[in-house]
Amino acid sequence: MAPQQPTGTDGVRTDGLLLRIRMLGPVEVWLGGRRLDIAAPQMLAVLAMLAAEPGRTLSTTQLADRLWTDPPPRSAPSVLRNHVLKLRRQFEAYGHAGAGNEWLGSTRGGYRLGLPVEFDVVEFEELIAAAEADRRAGAMTEADAKLTAAQQLWRGDPLIGLPGPWAERERARLSRLRFALHEVAMTLALDLGRHSAAIAELEALVAAEPHSERWHELLMVALHRSGRRGEALEVYRKARRLLADELGLDPGPQLVRLHQEILSAEPPAPSAPEEPRVPVQLPPDITDFVGREELTHELAEVLAAESGSRPVIAITGLGGVGKTTLAVHLAHRTRERYPDGLLYLDLGGMDEHPRSADMLLAVALRAFGVEPGDLPSGLTERIDLWRNIMAGKRVLLVLDNARDVAHLTPLLPGSGTAAVLVTSRSSLAELFGARLVPLDVLTQDEAWTLLERTVSARRLSAEPDAAHEIVRACGHLPVSLRIVGARLSSRPTWSLAAIAERLADERGRLAELAVGNTSVESVFRDSYRQLAPELARAFVLVAFSDAPDLSVAAIAALIDREQADAERICETLVDLSMLQTPERGRYRYHDLLRVFARGVADRAQRLEWPQAMRRLIDFYLASAKNIVELRDPGVGTDYYAATEMAGQRFADEKQCAAWAMSERFGLVALYRQVAELADARTRTLAVDLALSLAVGGDAGEHLPQVAHVLEALSRAAEDDGDHRTMARAQLAAAVARLVGMADLSAARTLRNAGALLQDLGDGPGAILAEQMLGTAMAYQENVDLAVAHFRRAIELGRQHGNRWVEGMGWGTLARAYGNAGRWPEALDAAERALRIARLVGSLRLESMALHELGFATWPADPARARALCEQALDVARRDGRRHQEGWALARLAEVTLYSGDAATAVPIAAEAVRALTEVSASVRRLRAMWVYGCALSAVGRDGEAEPILRKVAQASARIGLAVPELPSSVRAVVGAAPVAIASGCGA
C-alpha cells in the first residue's frame, strides 16, 4: 500500500482535491469534502487497486487477475473499461473539464490514477508504529493517545463486499495489522499497570486465537503482576497442552523462559516479540571504484531521498560495462537508509533457461525468515507473500542480470518503501515508472585511472605508451581493464609492453576491443586461450550441459576422467574464475561464461558433445540403478538399458534422497536437451533413467516438468522409429502425471503404452502399466477394475519370475480391497505381500504390507491393527523414504480413528498430511487430510475440521475423485459429528 501523496503525479492538475479512501470497514471514497456514490463492488475494487499504487500504470491484465479469482472472462477488458468510464464521470462532476481523463488516465494498455491519495490504512499503520516507538522511548501518554486514535479508525471488517484476490489479500494483511495493534496496546497496558483491563482483553484474545503464543505470554505476565501467580502458571499448562494436542508442538522459547521466570518468582517484564530477520546480503563493494562520479552521486541521492515511495532504478548496457559494479557500489553507499535489509539476487538472465521466478522468490523469502515448509507452492502465492512481507519495509533489493521486464516483474515489491536496483543487458524500456540508466564505457581518463589503480602508478609511468595501448585495446570496457590489470598485478615481473603486444593480436578479440561497440566475449576469449588443452576441453564440454550445476562425479563422467582428475580440473578453473563452486563438490558457470564457452567450442569439441552427453546420462542411469539395488532388493535392474559407467555409489537412504533432491531439476533440463539431440541411444538411456526414478518412488514438485519433457522424448523416439523407447517414455510421463499431478486422464496413456509394450515383448513395462492402471482405478474407487489390473500385474510378475513385483501387486491389491471394505480379501492380499516382502528383503514392501495388514485387521482386532500399523511406521522410518513414512502414518491415523481414539489420531494424521505434502503425493494426501478432518471433528474441533474437509471435497471434485466415507461400523465409534460434517462438505 502506497503512502499518502501530497500532490498529483506527473504534474496532473488536481484542483486542490485529495482522494481519501477508507478501507478499515465498509469502503468509503471521498473526493475533497464529498463522498462519491460508488455502489458497484467491482468498481470500488478497481479504484482501490489503482489508488493503492498512484502514479503507476496497472495493465488490464494485472487488474483482471486481481479482480477475478478464476481465469478472467473474455469480457474482462470491456468490463474494466466500463468501470473506468463510470469513475471518470464521477471525477468529471467534481473537477475541471477533462478532469476524468486526467485523473484516471489510459497509458499503453493500462490505467493510472493521477490524483493524490490518502488512506486510513496508511494512517493506521503509522499510528501503530509511532505508538510502539513512543512506548519504547518511555512516552507512555503519547503512545496511549496514538493507539486510541488507531483503534478509532477501525470501523469493522475491512473491505466488506469487495471481490477478487487482491481484496482477499488486503483483508488478510489488515487482519495482521490489527494483531499488531492489539499487541502494542496490551504491552502498553502492562507498562502502565492496567493489569485488570489487560487481563480481560487478553483472555478474550486467547479465546479468539488460542494458538497465538504471544497472547498466552502477555496474559501470564498480566496475571503474575496482579499477584495471581498460580493462574499465570495454569495459563502456561493449558497452552502447552493445547499446542501439543492440536499442533503436535512444544511451547516456543519465549513462553518457556517466561514460565521459568514465574516459577522462580522473578517478576518478569513482557518480552518484546522476536525481531524480524534483517538480511544484509550484498557482494563486497569494490575498493577501487572508478569514474561515473556525477551519475553515482545523482543516483545515490535518489536512493537516499526521504520520500514516501522508493524508486526503481534500472541500469542497462552491454555485458562487462560495469552495471553490477555500479549497482553494488550504490547499495553499499546508501545502505544506512535501508535498515530493514539489503538483498542481492542474480536472476541469471543470460542463461538459456533463466532462473525461474519460483526459485528466486524462494531464495528471497528464505532471506527474510520464511521457513522452507512455509513456502507457497504456486507462483502467484509466492509473489503475494513476497509483496506482503515487503510492504512497509525499508529494504534495498539488487536484482542483477535480468533477461527482460517479464523476468524481473514477479520480484518487484510493489509500491511502498522498498527500493530496487536492476541490472540488465536489455533496455527494459517497458519497465514503466522506473528510472532508466543506460551505461556507457569509461572515458579515456577514467579508463587510465582504473588501470593505474589495479596495476600501480609506478608501472604505468614507466611504460606510458604500452599502458595507453592496453586502454585502447580494451575499448575502455571496465571488465576488460580489470582482467588485464589483475593479471599484471599478480605478475609483477611482467612488462606492460608484453601484455600490450598480446592485445594487439587482431584474431577476433582485438577487433572487438578496438571499436566502441565492445564485447565481454572478447575478454573471456583472451582468458580461454590461456587454458591448457585439458582445461579448455573440460571448460567447453561441461558448459554444453543445461543443468544449472553439476556434481564433480557427474563432470568426471561427462569429460571421461577419474573423479580425482575431474576435481583438480574444476578447482583450477575456479581459481581462474572460469567456473564457480556454490558448495563443495558442485560446480556451475556464470551465465555469460556458459554462453561464451559454447560459442568458443571448436569442431572436435562440438563433435564430442553428443558422446559426452551420452556418458553423462549413462552415469545418471547407473547411479539410479545403484539406488534401486540399495533401496529395493529384488526389483532388479536388468529391465533398464545396459550402462558403461559404474555410477555414483550410496551408503544409505539418506544419501540416495539427498542425491535425488539435488539432481531433480538438473535432470529435467537434461531430458529436454536429450529430446533435441540426434542420438537415439542417449534418448533410451534418458527414458530409462526417468522410468527407474518413477519406479523407485520419485516424488516432488518437479514431476509436472518431468511429464512434459518425457512427452517430448516420446515424440523424438517416435521420430527415431524406436517404438519401445517411445512407449516407455509415455509410460514414465503418465506415471509422473498420475503421481505428481493426480491427473486421472493418464490412464488412457497407461493403457495404450502398456498394450504396445506387451506387443513388443517388454514385460516389465507392461507390468508397470498394469500396476499404475490399477492405482488409477483405485483412486476412482473402481475396485473391480483396479483388482483386475493388479492381478494382471501379479500374474505378469510371476511369468517373469519377479517376486518383488508380485509383492507390490499384492500390497496395492490389499489397499484397494481395504478401502472398499472387503476385509477378508484385503487380509489375504496383505499377508501374501508381507511374506514376499520378507523373502526379498524389501523394507518398502514390508512397510506397505504391514500397514495394509493392520487396516484389514482393524474390524476384527483393533488393538492388533494399531500394533501392525505402528510396526509399519517403524519399518518405513528405517527405510528412510518420506513418502513411505507418510503412507504408514496415514494408515495408522485411520486405524486409530476407527478404533475410537480420535484424540490420538489427530497428531498422527497431521504428521501424515505434512509428510505427503512434502513429497507431492496428491491423492494420498487428500485421504490423509480427510482422516485428519474427521478426527478433529470427532474430538469436537469442528471449526478446524470443516475447512479441511471442504478443501478435500473441492480438490477431489476438481480431479475427479469421490470423497471417502466413514465405514458404517465406525460411525457409532467416532460419533455423528464427523459423519455430518464430512457428508456436508462432500455434497
Side-chain angles (χ1 to χ4, degrees), residues 4-5 17-23 26-36 38 44 47-48 51 91 113 115-121 123 153 155:
Q4 275 78 336
Q5 301 290 313
L17 297 176
L18 180 72
L19 187 70
R20 291 187 293 118
I21 300 184
R22 303 178 68 189
M23 297 170 60
V27 180
E28 296 177 4
V29 181
W30 296 74
L31 185 58
R34 301 178 182 179
R35 181 174 175 180
L36 300 187
I38 305 175
L44 266 178
L47 180 58
F91 289 163
L113 187 68
L115 280 170
V117 180
E118 180 183 277
F119 277 98
D120 59 352
V121 173
E123 184 181 358
L153 289 173
R155 297 174 292 110

Side-chain angles (χ1 to χ4, degrees), residues 39-58:
Q42 273 194 348
M43 192 187 308
L44 266 178
V46 169
L47 180 58
M49 287 187 284
L50 291 168
E53 300 183 62
R56 182 185 174 200
T57 298
L58 294 181

Side-chain angles (χ1 to χ4, degrees), residues 580-602:
Q580 298 173 341
T581 176
E583 60 182 88
R584 184 173 181 182
R586 296 195 74 84
Y587 299 93
R588 68 184 181 198
Y589 286 83
H590 181 279
D591 48 2
L592 294 177
L593 269 173
R594 186 191 294 273
V595 172
F596 164 76
R598 291 176 173 181
V600 82
D602 60 24

Side-chain angles (χ1 to χ4, degrees), residues 38-84:
I38 305 175
Q42 273 194 348
M43 192 187 308
L44 266 178
V46 169
L47 180 58
M49 287 187 284
L50 291 168
E53 300 183 62
R56 182 185 174 200
T57 298
L58 294 181
S59 68
T60 54
T61 300
Q62 289 173 307
L63 290 168
D65 288 342
R66 299 177 187 187
L67 196 57
W68 281 278
T69 302
D70 295 319
R74 291 186 178 180
S75 61
S78 61
V79 171
L80 289 169
R81 278 195 298 272
N82 288 335
H83 289 323
V84 169

Side-chain angles (χ1 to χ4, degrees), residues 614-884:
R614 182 183 297 182
R615 290 193 296 264
L616 180 60
I617 301 299
D618 186 286
F619 161 80
Y620 277 124
L621 176 55
S623 301
K625 288 181 182 180
N626 293 339
I627 289 178
V628 172
E629 296 287 0
L630 179 68
R631 281 178 164 176
D632 298 310
V635 173
T637 57
D638 293 342
Y639 166 54
Y640 306 113
T643 49
E644 298 178 7
M645 300 285 175
Q648 190 163 332
R649 297 288 180 182
F650 306 93
D652 52 33
E653 169 57 28
K654 184 177 180 181
Q655 290 184 4
C656 295
W659 181 86
M661 179 69 71
S662 63
E663 303 293 350
R664 55 178 55 179
F665 287 107
L667 289 178
V668 171
L670 293 174
Y671 293 152
R672 188 183 296 113
Q673 274 189 287
V674 172
E676 298 168 357
L677 202 63
D679 187 339
R681 171 62 181 169
T682 304
R683 254 189 286 285
T684 297
L685 293 170
V687 168
D688 281 9
L689 169 60
L691 205 54
S692 69
L693 293 174
V695 171
D698 183 29
E701 60 181 355
H702 66 301
L703 287 183
Q705 297 178 48
V706 170
H708 180 73
V709 295
L710 281 170
E711 286 159 0
L713 278 168
S714 173
R715 291 190 294 271
E718 184 178 18
D719 292 341
D720 295 335
D722 185 350
H723 294 99
R724 181 171 180 269
T725 297
M726 176 194 75
R728 287 156 76 101
Q730 291 172 353
L731 174 59
V735 172
R737 281 167 42 210
L738 183 63
V739 174
M741 305 162 64
D743 183 357
L744 299 179
S745 69
R748 181 184 303 170
T749 305
L750 289 168
R751 195 172 290 111
N752 294 338
L756 179 55
L757 289 169
Q758 182 70 24
D759 291 343
L760 293 170
D762 189 338
I767 291 170
L768 178 59
E770 291 291 346
Q771 188 72 38
M772 297 312 298
L773 276 168
T775 300
M777 296 303 104
Y779 283 169
Q780 299 172 77
E781 297 189 1
N782 194 331
V783 181
D784 291 337
L785 267 180
V787 167
H789 285 299
F790 287 141
R791 287 193 174 277
R792 176 65 176 155
I794 292 168
E795 180 56 33
L796 288 171
R798 283 203 192 101
Q799 292 175 14
H800 286 81
N802 192 321
R803 299 306 305 277
W804 191 93
V805 167
E806 283 187 66
M808 176 61 71
W810 286 115
T812 48
L813 191 57
R815 182 175 184 83
Y817 280 138
N819 285 345
R822 292 164 62 170
W823 307 115
E825 294 159 297
L827 194 65
D828 175 66
E831 287 173 342
R832 290 172 182 262
L834 184 58
R835 284 196 296 271
I836 294 174
R838 288 172 173 166
L839 178 67
V840 301
S842 171
L843 294 178
R844 176 184 177 187
L845 282 184
E846 184 177 357
S847 173
M848 179 191 297
L850 282 168
H851 62 64
E852 293 310 319
L853 183 60
F855 192 60
T857 304
W858 161 75
D861 191 346
R864 181 168 180 266
R866 287 176 67 170
L868 285 166
C869 288
E870 287 167 354
Q871 188 180 348
L873 179 59
D874 178 66
V875 172
R877 285 174 172 162
R878 282 193 283 124
D879 178 56
R881 275 172 275 193
R882 185 64 164 156
H883 70 275
Q884 203 70 41

